[in-house]
């Protein structure tokens, strides 16, 4: 990198360290102190003489082309320093709490095609770290620290089964490397959010809530599912500065609502909404790496039928039961069963089910109608880490095996609460052929729901000292939804 180029650009930068990062006016200013606090928390769990070394994400090409996917930073790397560029490394000297960023040494030609080259001093100002060097200096810089151990990240994500990327660089074999100590510590720290992280989550949940409300105003029969998706994406990005969403948007209408992970390449939100369809839209924005995950279910025409109301209010009863009872000390699997009991009881009152609710649960009826878990940890990953660390309760058996965590709730945890009721043909056929389950269903009435799809209500919540703070702000009761949608496309020209 030429000194001349670096000097020219640094003239345009403030001589002071940046205090915040944002996507611009009107978007949330993320304090760099968020990452400083995370590093301090991490160092307090480690020993003097240890140096943490993390490797950030890399640009990924579309197969063998020269086109790249839009870069998204690796989550642990974001947690520790907030650096947004690819091909970087980060070191934390536990002895001194010194933060050291290593950035790629880019060729001068980069400036022609990609924009101004930043100097090491520029990166230091932008990210508020103590020192910045080029990646090709990492061996020499770490040697000068004379660490007893380098701690690298290696562990299995219990949601994906994939392994965290362990830092590797030329010369690492000259150090004593420990790749077991770091993972359980940093994963556990990510489970409990700091006040600074919670504020970012409040923002991205509010942006995502508002985007869902815009979709509800836009929706009407005759539109394609992907057109509704585009309204969500537009609001999150144009208004909220969310360049990314946290996962592929699920925009299921009609019987597509029974496909839990609808919206993939084989089913790309391409059905036309029809009069009488329920919509199940599961979408969440992403800001500064932090993920929202919200699901709204509502009728495409803005008015619930009695059948739609029955299913929706059964799921709402499940959600309300959890928001009432979740608090520190409660086991998450108990919240799952609390939700199931409330939903099954409501469906029984609606004459869709019959028999004793506890007997239904013993025989797995709850797993037929809601095959997924109640929710999951939320943060830098939409299915955030820490669900089944070694010190945590093991994954339950039976229908509860789908739970993404079985932990005891603690203040500072962020989770989704997402009960659902789905009419999935394969599961219903299995239940009908299973004498232990079949007796609980009113099969004559169930025929009316053959192509219903499903309902899911998903809120993003914070566990507080007293109970739950809901970070989601969307219409939830039947009356609220109908009132909100009455200002939308279904009624504007009537």
């Amino acid at each position: 990198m030429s000194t001349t180029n670096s000097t020219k650009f640094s003239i345009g930068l403030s001589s002071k360290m940046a205090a915040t990062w944002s996507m611009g006016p009107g978007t949330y200013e993320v304090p760099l102190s968020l990452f400083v606090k995370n590093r301090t928390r991490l160092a307090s769990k480690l020993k003097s003489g240890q140096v943490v070394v993390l490797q950030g994400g890399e640009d990924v090409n579309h197969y063998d082309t020269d086109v790249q996917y839009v870069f998204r930073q690796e989550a642990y790397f974001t947690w520790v320093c907030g650096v947004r560029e690819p091909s970087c490394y980060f070191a934390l000297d536990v002895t001194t709490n010194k933060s050291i960023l290593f950035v790629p040494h880019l060729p001068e030609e980069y400036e022609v095609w990609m924009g101004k080259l930043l100097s090491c001093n520029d990166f230091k100002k932008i990210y508020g770290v103590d020192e910045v060097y080029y990646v090709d200096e990492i061996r020499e810089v770490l040697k000068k620290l004379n660490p007893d151990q380098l701690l690298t990240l290696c562990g299995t994500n219990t949601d994906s089964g994939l392994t965290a990327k362990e830092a590797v660089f030329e010369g690492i074999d000259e150090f004593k490397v420990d790749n077991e100590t770091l993972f359980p510590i940093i994963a556990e720290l990510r489970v409990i959010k700091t006040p600074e992280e919670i504020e970012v989550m409040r923002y991205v949940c509010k942006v995502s809530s508002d985007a869902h409300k815009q979709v509800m105003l836009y929706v009407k029969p005759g539109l394609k599912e992907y057109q509704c998706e585009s309204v969500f994406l537009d609001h999150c990005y144009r208004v909220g500065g969310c360049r990314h969403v946290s996962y592929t948007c699920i925009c299921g209408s009609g019987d597509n609502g029974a496909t839990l992970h609808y919206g993939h390449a084989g089913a790309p939100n391409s059905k036309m909404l029809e009069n009488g369809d329920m919509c199940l839209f599961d979408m969440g924005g992403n800001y500064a790496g932090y993920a929202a995950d919200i699901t709204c279910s509502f009728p495409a025409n803005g008015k619930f039928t009695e059948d739609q109301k029955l299913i929706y209010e059964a799921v709402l009863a499940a959600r309300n039961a959890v928001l009432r009872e979740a608090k520190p000390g409660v086991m998450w699997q108990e919240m799952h069963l609390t939700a199931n009991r409330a939903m099954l009881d409501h469906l029984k009152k609606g004459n869709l089910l019959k028999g004793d609710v506890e007997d239904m649960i013993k025989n797995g009826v709850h797993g037929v109608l809601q095959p997924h878990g109640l929710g999951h940890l939320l943060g830098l990953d939409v299915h955030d880490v820490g669900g089944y660390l070694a010190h945590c309760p093991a994954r339950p058996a039976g229908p509860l095996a789908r739970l993404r965590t079985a932990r005891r709730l603690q203040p500072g945890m962020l989770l989704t609460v997402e009960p659902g009721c789905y009419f999935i043909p394969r599961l219903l056929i299995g239940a009908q052929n299973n004498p232990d389950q079949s007796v609980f269903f009113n099969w004559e009435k169930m025929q009316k729901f053959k192509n219903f799809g499903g309902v899911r209500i998903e809120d993003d919540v914070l566990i507080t000292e007293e109970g739950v703070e809901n970070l989601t702000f969307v219409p939830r009761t039947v009356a609220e939804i109908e009132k909100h949608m009455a200002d939308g496309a279904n009624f504007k020209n009537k």
Side-chain angles (χ1 to χ4, degrees):
M1 178 184 289
S2 122
T3 305
T4 305
N5 286 338
S6 299
T7 304
K8 280 183 181 177
F9 183 59
S10 64
I11 290 171
L13 291 173
S14 166
S15 60
K16 297 181 180 179
M17 293 283 190
T20 62
W21 172 86
S22 78
M23 283 291 281
T27 65
Y28 185 70
E29 294 191 356
V30 180
L32 297 188
S33 60
L34 182 157
F35 309 107
V36 175
K37 181 174 282 188
N38 285 344
R39 295 196 288 270
T40 301
R41 294 170 69 207
L42 178 58
S44 71
K45 301 290 184 181
L46 302 173
K47 298 176 182 178
S48 181
Q50 294 176 328
V51 173
V52 173
V53 181
L54 297 179
Q55 184 174 354
E58 303 284 346
D59 273 323
V60 178
N61 283 54
H62 289 211
Y63 303 105
D64 62 346
T65 74
D66 60 354
V67 177
Q68 295 174 328
Y69 290 97
V70 178
F71 178 70
R72 299 177 73 159
Q73 187 59 272
E74 195 275 334
Y76 287 102
F77 202 80
T78 296
W79 185 86
V80 81
C81 64
V83 171
R84 298 176 292 279
E85 289 82 0
S87 304
C88 297
Y89 288 75
F90 181 84
L92 175 63
D93 184 355
V94 176
T95 304
T96 62
N97 214 16
K98 181 185 293 183
S99 55
I100 309 171
L101 175 64
F102 298 90
V103 298
H105 202 158
L106 300 169
E108 290 189 359
E109 188 180 9
Y110 178 96
E111 194 163 64
V112 177
W113 301 99
M114 306 298 285
K116 297 291 185 180
L117 284 164
L118 300 180
S119 68
C120 289
N121 195 47
D122 295 333
F123 279 106
K124 182 178 178 181
K125 293 173 184 174
I126 291 168
Y127 291 113
V129 293
D130 296 314
E131 297 177 5
V132 180
Y133 301 94
Y134 293 115
V135 168
D136 53 17
E137 300 176 275
I138 188 169
R139 175 186 170 277
E140 289 72 23
V141 172
L142 295 181
K143 278 285 186 183
K144 289 178 182 177
L145 296 178
N146 192 29
D148 297 332
Q149 288 179 315
L150 295 186
L151 302 183
T152 58
L153 190 70
C154 185
T156 301
N157 183 307
T158 55
D159 285 304
S160 67
L162 302 176
T163 302
K165 183 178 182 179
E166 185 176 1
V168 176
F169 58 86
E170 188 173 346
I172 193 172
D173 55 345
E174 299 174 29
F175 298 86
K176 183 179 179 181
V177 177
D178 175 343
N179 69 355
E180 296 180 355
T181 297
L182 183 60
F183 180 82
I185 293 173
I186 195 170
E188 180 64 19
L189 287 171
R190 280 180 55 184
V191 171
I192 307 299
K193 272 57 178 182
T194 64
E196 292 83 356
E197 289 180 298
I198 291 167
E199 288 305 312
V200 181
M201 289 296 299
R202 284 197 176 102
Y203 174 77
V204 73
C205 290
K206 179 62 166 60
V207 168
S208 300
S209 296
D210 289 345
H212 271 282
K213 290 165 72 175
Q214 289 300 310
V215 172
M216 293 170 73
L217 293 176
Y218 175 78
V219 160
K220 65 177 181 178
L223 295 173
K224 289 296 192 80
E225 294 163 339
Y226 66 78
Q227 292 177 298
C228 305
E229 175 187 9
S230 72
V231 173
F232 181 88
L233 298 175
D234 170 71
H235 184 91
C236 283
Y237 198 179
R238 178 174 55 83
V239 178
C242 299
R243 190 177 192 192
H244 303 292
V245 285
S246 297
Y247 50 94
T248 302
C249 292
I250 299 169
C251 296
S253 63
D255 59 356
N256 290 334
T259 303
L260 299 180
H261 287 170
Y262 183 72
H264 56 83
N269 294 329
S270 57
K271 176 184 169 296
M272 182 178 288
L273 275 61
E274 298 178 13
N275 194 36
D277 278 351
M278 278 293 289
C279 296
L280 188 162
F281 288 180
D282 184 340
M283 303 179 284
N286 190 291
Y287 189 80
Y290 285 84
D293 184 3
I294 296 170
T295 305
C296 294
S297 297
F298 49 87
N301 63 14
K303 282 284 187 180
F304 283 84
T305 66
E306 286 303 309
D307 287 341
Q308 289 172 341
K309 184 177 178 181
L310 169 64
I311 305 307
Y312 185 86
E313 291 189 334
V315 177
L316 185 62
R319 172 264 203 178
N320 290 345
V322 176
L323 296 193
R324 283 194 307 269
E325 298 189 28
K327 60 184 178 180
V330 172
M331 301 301 291
W332 188 239
Q333 61 266 39
E334 287 305 317
M335 289 296 90
H336 178 95
L337 291 172
T338 293
N340 287 167
R341 290 185 181 102
M343 183 177 79
L344 295 173
D345 184 63
H346 193 93
L347 295 175
K348 178 182 174 181
K349 290 175 181 175
N351 198 32
L352 201 60
L353 299 176
K354 54 189 178 179
D356 181 74
V357 168
E358 291 304 319
D359 288 340
M360 294 181 202
I361 289 176
K362 287 177 186 175
N363 288 281
V365 172
H366 56 320
V368 174
L369 295 172
Q370 185 193 306
H372 61 76
L374 174 63
H376 49 81
L377 295 166
L378 185 68
L380 282 168
D381 292 317
V382 67
H383 297 151
D384 212 11
V385 296
Y388 290 105
L389 296 174
H391 68 280
C392 299
R395 189 181 294 275
L400 295 183
R402 295 290 185 181
L403 281 170
R404 294 183 183 271
T405 187
R407 294 181 63 139
R408 190 178 300 278
L409 296 181
Q410 301 175 62
M413 283 182 171
L414 272 155
L415 304 102
T416 65
V417 176
E418 50 177 309
C421 181
Y422 315 90
F423 297 86
I424 302 172
R426 183 176 293 273
L427 296 182
L428 291 173
I429 290 169
Q432 197 165 17
N433 293 329
N434 181 341
D436 293 332
Q437 295 178 337
S438 181
V439 294
F440 296 105
F441 290 85
N442 181 342
W443 291 108
E444 183 178 350
K445 188 165 184 177
M446 286 288 291
Q447 287 301 312
K448 297 174 64 179
F449 295 88
K450 189 175 181 180
N451 298 310
F452 182 92
V455 166
R456 180 162 63 251
I457 297 174
E458 182 176 15
D459 289 346
D460 298 343
V461 306
L462 170 68
I463 305 302
T464 68
E465 294 287 351
E466 294 77 28
V468 167
E469 177 188 343
N470 195 345
L471 307 186
T472 309
F473 299 94
V474 295
R476 281 305 190 205
T477 67
V478 167
E480 288 169 350
I481 291 169
E482 291 185 344
K483 181 180 179 181
H484 178 73
M485 293 186 72
D487 292 327
N490 280 292
F491 302 96
K492 278 184 176 176
N493 299 319
K494 293 183 179 180

